[in-house]
Amino acid sequence: MSATSTLRTGHIGLNVTDLDRSLAFYRDVLGFGVLAEGKEEGRRFVFFGEDGRPTLTLWEQAYDGYDAGRAGLHHLAVEADTVEQVREYETALRAHGVDFAYDGVVAHGEGAASGGIFFHDPDGTRLEIYAPSGAEEAPAPSGAVPTCGFF
């Protein structure tokens, strides 16, 4: 390991219970582009990404939904350019009947300019779409504690 080495997130892998349902959600509702699919029974997966680079992978390996009480992924956050784009996703997600943790766009904390929407995928995995600014007037449901804590 080099002292100048910097690690970056390559891609995120999520276990899902029903690949077809999750594929439709991430592709059709959130707009992730499909790079590759594995369709062999017992080894099903989908790689999402851009320009040949994977960003998110779904693995059909789970028997139960997300459990916030177990060690592992807390939530997955993705960044939009503007808070208006976040609101467009909110509209699409509401039309899809998605479960939200908070009502509408909320700030990341008291006085924060950044904020977003917090919701759950079909298996209950906690997700966030946020913008780095534009949420100055939005409520901070957890006060000074980070909203992304899903408290």
Side-chain angles (χ1 to χ4, degrees), residues 38-110:
K39 299 180 179 185
E40 180 183 334
E41 194 58 40
R43 296 174 180 260
R44 296 185 65 214
F45 65 88
V46 174
F47 279 12
F48 295 107
E50 292 182 17
D51 301 323
R53 294 191 56 181
T55 56
L56 178 67
T57 306
L58 303 180
W59 304 95
E60 190 175 66
Q61 297 180 353
Y63 299 102
D64 292 316
Y66 178 79
D67 182 350
R70 297 187 62 155
L73 180 74
H74 181 272
H75 75 285
L76 173 62
V78 292
E79 183 178 325
D81 292 328
T82 66
V83 75
E84 289 77 18
Q85 289 175 332
V86 173
R87 288 189 175 101
E88 290 173 14
Y89 279 105
E90 177 189 5
T91 299
L93 291 162
R94 287 198 187 282
H96 195 72
V98 167
D99 174 45
F100 283 80
Y102 310 108
D103 189 31
V105 172
V106 296
H108 277 135
E110 291 176 346

Side-chain angles (χ1 to χ4, degrees), residues 22 51 72 80 84 90-91 101 117-118 120 134 136 141-142 146:
S22 293
D51 301 323
E84 289 77 18
E90 177 189 5
T91 299
I117 55 175
F118 299 81
H120 301 90
E136 293 86 347
S142 300

